[in-house]
Amino acid sequence: MSRSSYLVEASDDSDLEKETCKMQEVDLLGNINRALSQMISQFTPSSSDLLQSLSVYFPLGTDDTDSYVTYESLDKNYNDLEEDIWGIAGLVLCLGSSIGAIYRSGAYDVVQKIKAFVLSWIPHLNHSVQNSLSSKGLDIALSVGSCLALPSIVAFCQRVELMYDNELDQLVIGFRELVSELVSVRKSGIFHQSLLMASCVEAGSLLACILNEGVHPLKVEVVKDLLALFRKSYSNPHPPLTHFGGMLGVVNALGAGAGTLVPNYPLKTLRTTYDQKDSFYIMGPLLSCPVLESQLTSLVQEMFLVAQNSDDHQLQQCAAWAVSFLRHCLWFRELQNTESSFPSDAASQKYVSQNFLKDNVVKELSLWLMHLNYPGVGTISHVYTVATVLRCLS
């Protein structure tokens, strides 16, 4: 066999192997999503259409057996759902997290159906799920999962142009109405706490994934309202789960990405534009938004002081975690920028100074932290750590 013939044959074998692996991956993807849809269909008939679409795009092979499992029907009183709420929510989150792989397999219609299914279970985004406070436990569990899954779906659909501008506006306004409704009623039940926490956390993530892209403007009024609602959720006498959700909502709006499967929403631009026409719009990261600088700085300062001085130990821990998430996000981004600027000098990467825009919230916060007087007695050590790393930002 000649060398050229051998190379052609080797190339053909390689292409065949790649194609076989791709087909196996698509089959596995189909099996995973069928299983998720089948489990979700035990809780809601509305997933049957989605399951049918998956069967069309990912048919069973000739040697496969249907992996359908008949699950015991749920008690209509939902007495045991308090222990399973995050498990049910996790099924929806997993389904939403699979849209990138589904899109790459060419099943674009399935991506749209998954997006529609997730949106259908978020109150105030769908007329059939309007009254979140009177919903049953199972409905709230599905709503919690949809809240958790939505930001990563929006972030992906934005990039592949499967999300319209009016949809983004409706989502942000819908979350404002949902959080406002939930935070206005003092309930201690696990269902209410879980939905309020999930809606706050992911409303913040939604703001970041829209604004950090720097391509779609949002009304200043709506963003301000959401930030005020986050503060209300952690400053009012709510359970710790609710407090933590409100604090994560604030830091996620600044790009921390805590509690989501999207690690960090990329900052397409460090500049934020502010249009005083048409009811005041902003476009760009909140970290460099001058019109919201005072409100954002106040919120982060307040959380820092809670982490340092609060008599409520659980609330103090929540605040310390939230501020730490924000600090880690900012430090990681600056580290990435440093590495790209100094690829050959590891020592200088470690000690290079970190500069921020003059109108940047982080810069103002850092200057404020530098002039704090820390008490020497009765302060928890991990709070000192939070203070130290934040001061290093300057």
Short mmCIF file of all heavy atoms in Angstrom, two decimals, residues 130-135 140 181-185 187 192 195:
data_model
loop_
_atom_site.label_atom_id
_atom_site.label_comp_id
_atom_site.label_asym_id
_atom_site.label_seq_id
_atom_site.Cartn_x
_atom_site.Cartn_y
_atom_site.Cartn_z
N GLN A 130 -50.45 32.61 37.78
CA GLN A 130 -50.40 33.98 38.27
C GLN A 130 -50.25 34.07 39.79
O GLN A 130 -49.44 34.82 40.29
CB GLN A 130 -51.67 34.72 37.86
CG GLN A 130 -51.59 35.27 36.45
CD GLN A 130 -50.54 36.35 36.31
OE1 GLN A 130 -50.34 37.15 37.19
NE2 GLN A 130 -49.83 36.35 35.21
N ASN A 131 -51.09 33.33 40.53
CA ASN A 131 -51.12 33.53 41.97
C ASN A 131 -50.11 32.63 42.66
O ASN A 131 -50.40 31.50 43.03
CB ASN A 131 -52.53 33.25 42.50
CG ASN A 131 -52.71 33.77 43.92
OD1 ASN A 131 -51.74 34.13 44.58
ND2 ASN A 131 -53.94 33.79 44.39
N SER A 132 -48.90 33.13 42.86
CA SER A 132 -47.84 32.32 43.43
C SER A 132 -48.08 32.01 44.90
O SER A 132 -47.62 31.00 45.41
CB SER A 132 -46.50 33.03 43.27
OG SER A 132 -46.53 34.28 43.91
N LEU A 133 -48.79 32.89 45.61
CA LEU A 133 -48.97 32.70 47.04
C LEU A 133 -50.00 31.63 47.36
O LEU A 133 -50.00 31.07 48.45
CB LEU A 133 -49.40 34.03 47.69
CG LEU A 133 -48.38 35.16 47.58
CD1 LEU A 133 -48.90 36.40 48.28
CD2 LEU A 133 -47.04 34.75 48.18
N SER A 134 -50.89 31.33 46.42
CA SER A 134 -51.91 30.31 46.67
C SER A 134 -51.60 29.01 45.94
O SER A 134 -52.40 28.09 45.98
CB SER A 134 -53.29 30.83 46.24
OG SER A 134 -53.31 31.10 44.85
N SER A 135 -50.45 28.95 45.26
CA SER A 135 -50.11 27.75 44.51
C SER A 135 -49.82 26.59 45.46
O SER A 135 -49.40 26.77 46.59
CB SER A 135 -48.88 28.01 43.63
OG SER A 135 -49.15 29.00 42.68
N ILE A 140 -45.07 25.17 43.23
CA ILE A 140 -43.98 26.04 43.68
C ILE A 140 -42.64 25.36 43.45
O ILE A 140 -41.65 26.00 43.08
CB ILE A 140 -44.16 26.40 45.17
CG1 ILE A 140 -45.38 27.32 45.33
CG2 ILE A 140 -42.91 27.09 45.72
CD1 ILE A 140 -45.65 27.77 46.74
N GLU A 181 -44.40 40.57 45.17
CA GLU A 181 -45.52 39.84 45.77
C GLU A 181 -45.06 38.95 46.91
O GLU A 181 -45.66 38.91 47.99
CB GLU A 181 -46.22 38.99 44.71
CG GLU A 181 -47.37 38.16 45.26
CD GLU A 181 -47.93 37.18 44.25
OE1 GLU A 181 -47.36 37.07 43.15
OE2 GLU A 181 -48.92 36.51 44.57
N LEU A 182 -43.97 38.24 46.70
CA LEU A 182 -43.49 37.29 47.70
C LEU A 182 -42.96 37.99 48.95
O LEU A 182 -43.17 37.54 50.07
CB LEU A 182 -42.39 36.41 47.10
CG LEU A 182 -42.84 35.42 46.01
CD1 LEU A 182 -41.63 34.80 45.34
CD2 LEU A 182 -43.73 34.34 46.60
N VAL A 183 -42.23 39.10 48.75
CA VAL A 183 -41.60 39.77 49.88
C VAL A 183 -42.61 40.56 50.71
O VAL A 183 -42.34 40.90 51.87
CB VAL A 183 -40.47 40.70 49.39
CG1 VAL A 183 -41.02 42.04 48.91
CG2 VAL A 183 -39.42 40.91 50.47
N SER A 184 -43.77 40.83 50.16
CA SER A 184 -44.77 41.62 50.88
C SER A 184 -45.56 40.79 51.89
O SER A 184 -46.26 41.35 52.73
CB SER A 184 -45.75 42.27 49.88
OG SER A 184 -46.49 41.26 49.20
N VAL A 185 -45.45 39.47 51.80
CA VAL A 185 -46.20 38.59 52.71
C VAL A 185 -45.22 37.85 53.60
O VAL A 185 -44.29 37.21 53.11
CB VAL A 185 -47.06 37.59 51.91
CG1 VAL A 185 -47.77 36.64 52.87
CG2 VAL A 185 -48.06 38.33 51.04
N LYS A 187 -44.35 34.91 55.46
CA LYS A 187 -44.67 33.50 55.64
C LYS A 187 -43.39 32.76 56.02
O LYS A 187 -42.30 33.11 55.57
CB LYS A 187 -45.25 32.90 54.36
CG LYS A 187 -46.68 33.35 54.05
CD LYS A 187 -47.25 32.53 52.91
CE LYS A 187 -48.71 32.87 52.66
NZ LYS A 187 -49.32 32.02 51.61
N HIS A 192 -42.71 28.91 50.45
CA HIS A 192 -42.62 30.36 50.23
C HIS A 192 -41.18 30.83 50.33
O HIS A 192 -40.70 31.62 49.50
CB HIS A 192 -43.50 31.08 51.25
CG HIS A 192 -43.49 32.57 51.10
ND1 HIS A 192 -42.59 33.38 51.74
CD2 HIS A 192 -44.29 33.40 50.37
CE1 HIS A 192 -42.81 34.64 51.41
NE2 HIS A 192 -43.84 34.68 50.59
N LEU A 195 -39.15 29.71 47.16
CA LEU A 195 -39.46 30.46 45.94
C LEU A 195 -38.95 31.89 46.03
O LEU A 195 -38.43 32.43 45.04
CB LEU A 195 -40.97 30.45 45.69
CG LEU A 195 -41.43 31.14 44.40
CD1 LEU A 195 -40.72 30.56 43.18
CD2 LEU A 195 -42.95 31.03 44.23
#
